[in-house]
Amino acid sequence: AHVLFYTFGILFTLAPLFLIVNHLSHPILYRAYFIGAVSSAGIVLYCYSVHTQLGVYFISLSIFHISEYLLTALFKENKLSLDSFLLNHSTAYHIALGAGFVEYIIEYVNLGEEKFYPIVSYTGAVLVIAGDLARKIAIVTAAENFDHLVQSEKADNHKLVTHGIYALSRHPSYAGWFYWSIGTQLLLCNPFCTLGYTYASWKFFEERIEEEECYLLRFFGAQYRDYKQTVGIGIPGIKGYTITPEFNAFLDEVKRK
């Protein structure tokens, strides 16, 4: 049965690549195989061990990373690369993943089943599902206007997306990732990493959004300023780029012209 689960998980990961991606290199296949193996391990843990939360965590990680690559392949194939998996997002991201796993193991060894609180795990699962779903809806809605990297130059076909989920949050992909990351640690009932992930994610997106909005204001001017004034971000305490009165007056002048 374990072999069947591993085979299913790996094929589930690899099959979409063959259907969507035109040119598959060995590095791409190796990464997809690794993600499939992690997903399969998660299924086995969920079905055949007491570590159901860890199993769901592995499955959610696999879905998150493989779907990032697949959606890039669908909407921005010209930007498709190994980085599209987001497996090498940053050293801090790798440290965070490792810290979450280590905390889970240490606390389970010392506390056993007392580590787990169902209401906390269920809350985490809801955040994981809702957060990743919001991010993927944001990517699909933005389509070719979405990019994993902050763009410092405006592409000719770059349009400001304000409909759909972007009418609820002007950075829904970031908000979704923020809540997804916190949810993974609540799912595992990791109190220390929940606090650590919350702070680190908040700080990362505060700086990222401020930088990105600086460019968006340069790209779209008063159009983005007006959008920014009516639609929030969805992450508590993050306001985005602060527009000075002088810059605001400049945008009004440009808008009148």
Side-chain angles (χ1 to χ4, degrees):
H2 291 196
V3 173
L4 288 176
F5 276 124
Y6 275 112
T7 303
F8 170 78
I10 292 168
L11 290 177
F12 180 78
T13 302
L14 293 177
L17 292 178
F18 287 103
L19 293 174
I20 295 173
V21 183
N22 292 327
H23 304 288
L24 292 174
S25 64
H26 289 302
I28 293 173
L29 289 174
Y30 292 154
R31 284 162 176 76
Y33 185 91
F34 171 73
I35 293 172
V38 171
S39 177
S40 301
I43 295 172
V44 171
L45 285 171
Y46 180 81
C47 295
Y48 295 103
S49 78
V50 297
H51 300 286
T52 55
Q53 291 92 337
L54 188 61
V56 175
Y57 172 66
F58 282 167
I59 294 169
S60 68
L61 277 178
S62 303
I63 292 173
F64 178 86
H65 286 288
I66 196 64
S67 58
E68 292 288 321
Y69 187 89
L70 292 174
L71 289 176
T72 303
L74 281 172
F75 296 109
K76 293 199 92 167
E77 191 172 359
N78 63 316
K79 291 291 188 76
L80 195 63
S81 69
L82 292 176
D83 293 339
S84 301
F85 283 108
L86 295 187
L87 288 172
N88 57 341
H89 178 270
S90 65
T91 301
Y93 182 67
H94 296 156
I95 292 173
L97 289 177
F101 183 73
V102 169
E103 181 181 349
Y104 176 89
I105 295 299
I106 291 176
E107 289 177 355
Y108 183 79
V109 168
N110 287 277
L111 299 175
E113 295 294 316
E114 293 181 5
K115 169 179 170 58
F116 304 119
Y117 292 87
I119 186 64
V120 175
S121 288
Y122 292 147
T123 301
V126 170
L127 285 177
V128 165
I129 295 170
D132 198 20
L133 184 61
R135 178 172 172 82
K136 297 313 184 286
I137 291 174
I139 295 174
V140 171
T141 303
E144 68 274 4
N145 298 292
F146 182 85
D147 203 293
H148 280 136
L149 302 175
V150 174
Q151 300 300 294
S152 59
E153 299 293 335
K154 184 177 182 293
D156 293 336
N157 63 341
H158 190 179
K159 299 177 181 178
L160 179 61
V161 180
T162 60
H163 64 277
I165 195 169
Y166 286 87
L168 303 175
S169 166
R170 63 181 191 268
H171 294 285
S173 66
Y174 293 155
W177 197 346
F178 174 76
Y179 291 111
W180 175 86
S181 67
I182 297 172
T184 61
Q185 299 311 296
L186 288 173
L187 173 67
L188 295 175
C189 292
N190 283 349
F192 298 107
C193 278
T194 295
L195 294 174
Y197 272 49
T198 300
Y199 174 78
S201 297
W202 189 92
K203 194 65 179 175
F204 172 79
F205 287 120
E206 180 197 33
E207 296 173 357
R208 175 92 168 210
I209 289 171
E210 183 176 14
E211 178 189 7
E212 185 167 313
E213 290 199 332
C214 179
Y215 290 118
L216 289 170
L217 284 164
R218 193 177 79 185
F219 296 165
F220 300 105
Q223 183 186 7
Y224 188 80
R225 188 271 313 271
D226 296 342
Y227 172 59
K228 172 179 165 62
Q229 289 176 343
T230 57
V231 179
I233 293 173
I235 301 177
I238 297 182
K239 304 299 182 183
Y241 185 82
T242 300
I243 302 176
T244 63
E246 294 78 13
F247 187 39
N248 199 44
F250 170 75
L251 291 175
D252 285 332
E253 182 180 348
V254 172
K255 185 178 181 179
R256 285 193 294 268
K257 293 181 180 179

